[in-house]
Amino acid sequence: MYQKHGKDSVVPIKNIERELICPICKELFTHPLILPCQHSVCHKCVRELLMINHEDSFDAGSECSLPGSPRSRVPSPSMERLDRLVRSGGSRGSVTPRVTTIPCPGCQHDIDLGERGISMLFRNFTLESIVERYRQAARAAVAIMCNICKPPQQQEATKSCMDCKASYCNECFKLHHPWGTPKAQHEYVGPTTNFRPKVLMCPEHEMEKVNMYCEVCKRPVCHLCKLGGSHANHKVTSMSSAYKILKEKLAKSIHYLISKEDQVRTQITELELLINQTEENGQLAERRANEHFERLFETLQERKSEMLRSIEQSRNRRLDQLKGQVEEYQGMLENSGLVGYAQEVLKETDQSCFVQTAKQLHVRIQKATESLRTFHPAADPCFDEFVLDTSREETLLKEMCFGGVPDPPLIDLSNSRVYNEASICWRLSDDHLPTDHHVLEYRRWDGEDNGVWRATDRVYGPSTVVYDLEPDSRYSFRVRSCRNSMFSPYSPEVNFHTPPAPAFGFLFSDKCGFSTERLILNERRDSVESVAGMAFLLAAERVQTGSYIGLDYIIGDTGISQGRHYWAFKVEPYSYMVKVGVASDTKLLEWFHNPRDTSSPRYDHDSGHDSGSEDACYELCQPFTLLTLGMGRLFIPKASSSSSVSTANAASGDPGSRMLPMPQRLGVCLDYDACRVYFYDADTMRCLYERQVDCSGTMYPAFGLMGSGKVQLEEFIATKKLTF
């Protein structure tokens, strides 16, 4: 059996087995339930998770529900009983706690099922059907037999009735579903043993069908959930619309994956090569580590042998000295030879003979007597000079992180910004061990150095700034960490495209025509927000008569009179309408100091509005250019002969072709000398629109807001101005 994915691509259903395995029991799904995190788990596995997670609150009898117990081998409940269990949260005698939290085996997040427990979970009927088709494909030789025919005449089933929940052969189906009867209207499918309900019911309101899709919770809901339930304030869409959108997205994703099959196979080959290289490099690292340790062991062994030899020599010398001293002292004893010899000499009566012998004997006895008065051992028994202080060496050995090569950091794209200076931030690894420093390397792709990597000085924090980057160039960045002289692998390379001009620093000006009633500036003056003030509310009555409400303008506090300059900012997606661009000082005088009667139905604000007035006089070089953004869209003015190539698709005047998704960050480049302004997607540096502008005076960054909206200057732009 095959699963179809487009006109020409089919995937054998036997190849999807890994997607049909429960992450807990490692078997094919049996009555799977969808967790709030969109992972599926078997019904019995969810119940066992609840038991295990709260086993401390059970008595000894609850152990029978654990895996491997006799109770766990009881056959799973029937489909009808399972539906009742799911809706009721289990039988009244169930030991399942009312408030339950289980870890999702797929994403490891804690899932709070609330007081309703598993009754809040949907059954994944689609997955059940796929599992059943897989089972049938796996046992294709075993046919599904008719439930009506009796052996030995029992026939193979050709249809299964979803209403009767039975399978029939052709004859029995005709017999039990005759034309002209209500049974003829039953829904039938191919032979199957999986009879799911015809309609998906709401788990919170048992008698209600799900007919809407909550875009906040990403799950089907019924009308009672929307009216007064947990989804009352959530945005919902019709089930048919959600079905169409999700099916289209899934089909596109599948088509994309299939179209990239060759690329996937190439990447698998690369991964297999990396596996082989990892194995070889790991073995090489082991050999080198063994060599280093062997050298250490040899050096220590040599030093050990030398020290033991010195100790042995010193010990023998001291023992000889002490033993000689013992023999000398033993001669002083009464029964020793010296004393006895002296006593015999005293018996000599011949004076000359006595004097001749006694003189030498007296010297010996006097010497022995003197040694008794000043006793000193001939050798020191202490071996303190051979005691080693190896604490420093032990500390060095312990600090050697042989298995502690730091993990590579990751460059944080959301917080990194690149202008003529690059502010690169990175996230450290999760091994919780401190690093000594980091080294950032970068290279220019289209430079004369042929992409040679250049390194910064040591960085002791998670970010650094690279100066003097070339404009309108592609740069790659990578970073690695160092700990105890051991470097981590490089982080994955990230690429940035520098703007076409140096960064221009400015803040919002609250001095020139600033509306304090409808605009709010933060303290740093790098963010402006439009709110509905009293004047706006009072003017709402005139809106009903057909008049317009004007834009509230705000400009930068620094002007441009020469050169090329670039700045970037963010317009919040919820903004109703925001105009962004440049304007000269002469145009600002007209906007701020010549107010018009906004109550007049004939009043129309400046041609910056996307009403077509700007398009009508496009060829006239205006002292301003404003691009319109709002409601998550960017509107390109009508193209003409002087417009950029990037807007050629809008030449037809079709409003749909002039509408682009609002970029997360927008960049503006003013070439004062060439009298031209450019608008960029600041993340990709793709030029969205450009046109001629009259730069006869001083040009200022200009912004106009109507309705709710907010503009946030890029931090680097504001910081540059504040630093200056």
Side-chain angles (χ1 to χ4, degrees):
M1 182 176 291
Y2 290 85
Q3 291 285 87
K4 294 184 177 181
H5 297 291
K7 296 180 179 180
D8 302 322
S9 300
V10 291
V11 177
I13 194 170
K14 65 180 181 180
N15 292 346
I16 67 173
E17 180 177 356
R18 67 167 60 186
E19 303 295 333
L20 309 181
I21 300 296
C22 174
I24 297 180
C25 63
K26 305 302 181 182
E27 298 178 358
L28 291 176
F29 281 106
T30 303
H31 312 317
L33 302 179
I34 302 179
L35 300 178
C37 58
Q38 301 303 307
H39 291 102
S40 296
V41 183
C42 293
H43 175 268
K44 60 182 178 62
C45 295
V46 175
R47 291 175 61 86
E48 290 173 357
L49 271 180
L50 295 177
M51 299 296 182
I52 295 174
N53 203 38
H54 297 84
E55 60 183 358
D56 294 339
S57 62
F58 302 152
D59 55 19
S62 65
E63 294 178 357
C64 63
S65 63
L66 297 177
S69 65
R71 181 177 176 180
S72 66
R73 294 191 291 270
V74 175
S76 58
S78 64
M79 303 293 286
E80 292 80 9
R81 182 167 177 264
L82 176 61
D83 286 332
R84 292 196 300 271
L85 284 172
V86 170
R87 300 198 178 283
S88 63
S91 60
R92 294 183 178 180
S94 174
V95 295
T96 304
R98 292 182 61 83
V99 180
T100 55
T101 301
I102 62 174
C104 172
C107 60
Q108 305 303 320
H109 290 163
D110 289 337
I111 305 300
D112 186 4
L113 301 181
E115 295 185 358
R116 293 178 59 85
I118 60 175
S119 63
M120 69 165 289
L121 302 178
F122 281 108
R123 278 178 57 192
N124 195 337
F125 291 116
T126 301
L127 182 56
E128 283 189 33
S129 300
I130 297 175
V131 171
E132 180 60 26
R133 291 200 297 271
Y134 176 82
R135 293 182 188 274
Q136 293 179 15
R139 58 171 188 264
V142 181
I144 298 177
M145 306 307 292
C146 177
N147 299 137
I148 306 301
C149 300
K150 301 300 181 182
Q153 289 81 22
Q154 190 174 18
Q155 301 293 320
E156 183 177 340
T158 59
K159 298 180 181 65
S160 293
C161 179
M162 302 304 292
D163 295 271
C164 300
K165 295 181 174 55
S167 298
Y168 303 87
C169 63
N170 284 333
E171 297 300 326
C172 292
F173 185 81
K174 295 177 182 178
L175 181 63
H176 288 77
H177 297 77
W179 289 103
T181 64
K183 284 191 174 183
Q185 305 300 321
H186 285 187
E187 178 186 0
Y188 64 90
V189 295
T192 182
T193 58
N194 180 31
F195 301 101
R196 66 181 186 183
K198 296 178 62 175
V199 180
L200 193 62
M201 306 300 289
C202 178
E204 297 186 18
H205 307 92
E206 300 179 6
M207 304 305 295
E208 298 295 331
K209 304 175 183 178
V210 293
N211 54 5
M212 291 179 287
Y213 182 78
C214 178
E215 295 185 356
V216 177
C217 301
K218 306 298 183 184
R219 61 178 297 176
V221 296
C222 69
H223 70 283
L224 293 181
C225 293
K226 175 60 179 173
L227 290 177
S230 57
H231 306 269
N233 297 322
H234 294 179
K235 182 180 179 181
V236 299
T237 185
S238 65
M239 189 63 69
S240 60
S241 176
Y243 170 80
K244 181 179 178 181
I245 294 174
L246 293 176
K247 188 172 184 179
E248 182 179 354
K249 287 183 178 179
L250 182 59
K252 288 182 178 179
S253 300
I254 294 174
H255 178 72
Y256 176 80
L257 287 178
I258 294 176
S259 65
K260 298 296 182 180
E261 183 174 351
D262 292 339
Q263 180 179 346
V264 172
R265 294 185 185 279
T266 302
Q267 292 174 350
I268 291 176
T269 304
E270 293 177 358
L271 290 174
E272 291 175 347
L273 179 60
L274 290 177
I275 291 174
N276 295 332
Q277 292 178 351
T278 301
E279 182 68 26
E280 295 174 359
N281 292 338
Q283 294 176 357
L284 177 61
E286 289 179 356
R287 291 196 298 270
R288 290 177 176 175
N290 283 328
E291 293 173 359
H292 286 299
F293 275 103
E294 288 297 334
R295 286 198 293 269
L296 286 175
F297 293 155
E298 291 175 2
T299 303
L300 288 174
Q301 191 65 35
E302 291 176 359
R303 301 298 296 167
K304 174 184 175 182
S305 300
E306 182 180 346
M307 187 171 187
L308 292 178
R309 187 167 52 252
S310 299
I311 293 175
E312 184 179 6
Q313 293 174 354
S314 178
R315 181 187 62 196
N316 294 335
R317 185 178 63 255
R318 297 182 191 190
L319 287 175
D320 292 341
Q321 293 173 351
L322 291 173
K323 288 179 180 179
Q325 193 176 18
V326 168
E327 293 178 356
E328 182 181 350
Y329 274 68
Q330 285 178 345
M332 301 180 194
L333 298 178
E334 182 178 358
N335 56 353
S336 65
L338 178 61
V339 175
Y341 176 69
Q343 291 176 348
E344 292 298 326
V345 171
L346 289 175
K347 295 177 182 181
E348 177 64 46
T349 57
D350 188 296
Q351 295 182 352
S352 58
C353 292
F354 177 81
V355 171
Q356 181 185 16
T357 305
K359 179 62 177 177
Q360 183 183 9
L361 182 60
H362 181 265
V363 172
R364 291 180 62 190
I365 296 216
Q366 189 176 19
K367 187 177 181 180
T369 304
E370 185 68 23
S371 65
L372 289 176
R373 295 193 187 100
T374 59
F375 174 75
H376 292 289
D380 188 0
C382 182
F383 283 74
D384 289 342
E385 66 269 27
F386 293 100
V387 176
L388 294 179
D389 181 12
T390 59
S391 58
R392 184 173 64 89
E393 288 75 10
E394 290 177 4
T395 302
L396 291 175
L397 289 175
K398 291 179 180 179
E399 289 179 352
M400 293 175 67
C401 300
F402 300 106
V405 177
D407 294 331
L410 293 177
I411 294 181
D412 189 354
L413 294 176
S414 60
N415 292 321
S416 298
R417 296 290 181 262
V418 174
Y419 299 90
N420 52 309
E421 300 174 0
S423 175
I424 305 297
C425 305
W426 53 85
R427 297 191 300 272
L428 303 181
S429 60
D430 298 330
D431 57 8
H432 305 296
L433 295 177
T435 55
D436 297 336
H437 63 272
H438 313 276
V439 175
L440 177 72
E441 296 185 1
Y442 63 99
R443 64 178 175 180
R444 181 185 175 192
W445 279 95
D446 48 0
E448 298 179 355
D449 52 2
N450 296 322
V452 176
W453 288 100
R454 287 176 285 178
T456 63
D457 295 332
R458 291 183 176 184
V459 181
Y460 298 96
S463 64
T464 189
V465 177
V466 179
Y467 300 95
D468 300 327
L469 299 181
E470 295 295 328
D472 198 17
S473 301
R474 288 179 57 218
Y475 283 88
S476 293
F477 296 86
R478 65 184 185 184
V479 64
R480 61 176 177 169
S481 303
C482 180
R483 181 193 300 137
N484 298 325
S485 301
M486 302 182 72
F487 281 94
S488 72
Y490 285 104
S491 66
E493 294 182 23
V494 297
N495 298 322
F496 289 98
H497 197 293
T498 57
F504 177 64
F506 67 93
L507 299 172
F508 289 117
S509 173
D510 57 355
K511 306 298 183 183
C512 182
F514 177 71
S515 172
T516 57
E517 294 182 351
R518 295 185 295 273
L519 296 181
I520 298 178
L521 268 180
N522 63 348
E523 293 183 0
R524 284 168 49 96
R525 292 195 294 119
D526 62 348
S527 174
V528 61
E529 186 173 4
S530 174
V531 296
M534 184 59 67
F536 187 87
L537 296 177
L538 293 176
E541 296 182 356
R542 297 195 295 272
V543 173
Q544 296 177 357
T545 64
S547 66
Y548 295 91
I549 301 299
L551 291 168
D552 293 307
Y553 290 102
I554 187 171
I555 64 172
D557 59 358
T558 306
I560 299 173
S561 58
Q562 63 179 356
R564 288 168 57 91
H565 303 274
Y566 174 88
W567 59 94
F569 50 87
K570 177 182 179 181
V571 176
E572 293 297 336
Y574 68 80
S575 302
Y576 176 69
M577 191 177 80
V578 177
K579 312 286 283 189
V580 298
V582 294
S584 68
D585 50 1
T586 57
K587 189 63 179 179
L588 295 176
L589 290 175
E590 178 184 346
W591 284 347
F592 292 135
H593 301 291
N594 295 322
R596 305 179 184 180
D597 182 10
T598 60
S599 63
S600 172
R602 295 182 175 273
Y603 166 68
D604 187 13
H605 54 78
D606 69 276
S607 59
H609 190 275
D610 196 32
S611 60
S613 57
E614 183 177 350
D615 300 328
C617 57
Y618 183 88
E619 297 300 336
L620 299 177
C621 190
Q622 299 286 346
F624 71 96
T625 294
L626 298 176
L627 203 61
T628 305
L629 299 94
M631 299 165 54
R633 297 289 187 269
L634 181 145
F635 301 92
I636 300 295
K638 291 181 180 179
S640 69
S641 59
S642 61
S643 64
S644 73
V645 178
S646 63
T647 60
N649 294 333
S652 61
D654 180 17
S657 63
R658 299 168 54 198
M659 189 180 302
L660 301 175
M662 182 190 297
Q664 293 186 353
R665 299 163 53 237
L666 192 70
V668 179
C669 177
L670 176 64
D671 190 337
Y672 188 93
D673 301 328
C675 296
R676 203 158 187 85
V677 63
Y678 306 82
F679 296 87
Y680 293 90
D681 181 338
D683 289 324
T684 62
M685 289 311 299
R686 180 171 68 96
C687 184
L688 304 174
Y689 177 68
E690 63 174 285
R691 65 161 290 181
Q692 204 76 15
V693 64
D694 181 11
C695 296
S696 56
T698 301
M699 305 297 291
Y700 290 86
F703 304 84
L705 296 90
M706 186 173 79
S708 61
K710 183 178 180 181
V711 178
Q712 175 73 50
L713 293 180
E714 194 77 25
E715 182 177 0
F716 186 82
I717 301 298
T719 304
K720 185 174 182 180
K721 174 63 177 180
L722 293 172
T723 303
F724 176 79

